[in-house]
Amino acid sequence: MVVVAPLARHAELVPLLISWFIDEWPEWYGPAGPGDAAADLRTFAASESKLPVGLVAFHENKPVGVAAVKADSLPTHRHLSPWAAAGLVLPSHRGSGIGSLLLEAAVQHARRLGYSRVYCGTSTAVSLLRRSGWTELETVSHEGHSIVIFAKETEA
């Protein structure tokens, strides 16, 4: 069974998640990259009642995935908010539905915070978002990558 909980309740996991981010996105979070995994994850762990909010997926009480709901994502689309972002499932647990659970948890958390719609931009998880019922809005170029922007209503 997989359980998703706010990262704010499990802030002790931040050092582990930093290593996950660096391993998964070395061009962004690695030594030569512009990102700061520690700062991002500390921010994701700071609150569950205001953006940004981190979420952690647990399988048999062990962390196996992480995601966030944050106010903005793409600089060209600051008019859209909030965003499901930073989705990562450990390679050993991919293909088991944890990514879908994290996405749904992000949508539900945004709903609890009063948002009626959530956005997500991805170059790698297009099929996951389509399977999860997200609506494709547009494709944009961002830092040399094609990013597909999706939206999902938080109310059923």
Side-chain angles (χ1 to χ4, degrees):
M1 180 160 120
V2 176
V3 175
V4 178
L7 180 56
R9 297 180 193 173
H10 300 279
E12 75 280 359
L13 294 175
V14 167
L16 172 66
L17 300 178
I18 290 168
S19 68
W20 290 7
F21 273 37
I22 292 168
D23 289 347
E24 185 71 16
W25 299 297
E27 292 174 359
W28 183 258
Y29 287 119
D36 184 338
D40 285 355
L41 284 156
R42 280 193 303 268
T43 302
F44 297 162
S47 176
E48 62 183 274
S49 61
K50 63 181 180 131
L51 298 179
V53 173
L55 302 167
V56 181
F58 293 90
H59 179 256
E60 297 178 353
N61 296 317
K62 293 180 183 163
V64 295
V66 64
V69 182
K70 57 188 201 169
D72 57 60
S73 184
L74 295 172
T76 56
H77 288 71
R78 293 196 192 278
H79 59 287
L80 303 178
S81 187
W83 292 77
L88 166 61
V89 175
L90 289 178
S92 60
H93 287 78
R94 291 181 185 162
S96 63
I98 295 169
S100 294
L101 287 172
L102 280 165
L103 272 173
E104 184 56 27
V107 169
Q108 292 309 314
H109 204 92
R111 182 185 60 73
R112 284 191 293 280
L113 294 178
Y115 295 96
S116 60
R117 180 182 261 199
V118 180
Y119 300 89
C120 186
T122 185
S123 61
T124 58
V126 172
S127 63
L128 170 63
L129 285 143
R130 286 179 179 151
R131 285 191 318 269
S132 298
W134 290 63
T135 301
E136 194 170 324
L137 299 180
E138 65 179 304
T139 301
V140 299
S141 180
H142 177 69
E143 297 181 357
H145 298 280
S146 260
I147 305 290
V148 182
I149 298 175
F150 289 86
K152 181 140 189 200
E153 305 300 318
T154 61
E155 301 296 326

